[in-house]
Amino acid sequence: MTKKKAIIILAIILTTLMVFWFLSKKTEAPTVENFSLENKVNLEQAPTKIELPKETVVANNVPLLNPEKRITQKPFGVLIDPKTSPIPGERFSGYHTGTDWEIFPEEAGVDVEARAICEGEIRQKKKISGYGGVIIQNCILGGEKAVVLYGHLKLNDSPAEIGKTFFMGDKLAILGASGSADTDGERKHLHLGIKKGEEIDVRGYVSNRNELVGWLDPEKILFPPVL
Ligand SMILES: [Zn+2]
């Protein structure tokens, strides 16, 4: 063997050894230290508890879904006058005894459920001028007796029965369609009135501001301030 050949063979052997060494480094199994570190990272990343974003949590005491996102064109206590009312063709006047929750645009042609805001017996279920379909329920709110009026409802197919107790979140009826007998010609929306005590008073407006003390502001009842 010539000197030149010997050098070439030596070079091939060295190169092969280096390749093997390099490959064995790459495929080396993780050390205990590496392995546990990886596991630790994975454990930290694994969710231990699935938390829903706050906005997807549905409150149970609301008369309509997402009331806080709805427009209230007529809040509690607002003085309504046909000339200045936000509602075109207004026919009412006086201080509003409830809160009107409007529908979302996409709800115009679909069923929108009105639900009980509390536990209590259904006292009335009938058509009343100015409202169309009305359901009236006894409630205890803030430890006090109250009478809750849900107005502008479609009473046909309503599961509410006079004398039966309905619970918070139970479906009472769907909202009447705009301009129908179920809303007495009004737009599709929910009027919610909360009268203190046990007496039924279906007035949606009072002419004297002082009379409002007989009612509670539904927004304050449903969304009490966070202390
Ligand atoms: Zn109203």
Side-chain angles (χ1 to χ4, degrees), residues 74 96-100 131 152 187 189-192 204-205:
K74 291 184 192 174
H96 197 220
T97 60
T99 297
D100 281 357
Y131 290 110
H152 312 297
R187 69 201 186 283
H189 73 287
L190 178 73
H191 171 100
L192 186 81
Y205 300 86

Side-chain angles (χ1 to χ4, degrees), residues 6 11 14 33 46 53 61 64 78 99 139 146 151 157 164 167 183-184 204 214:
L14 277 173
E33 198 188 342
N61 70 335
L64 294 171
V78 67
T99 297
C139 279
D157 311 324
K164 265 201 168 181
F167 295 89
T183 58
D184 198 14

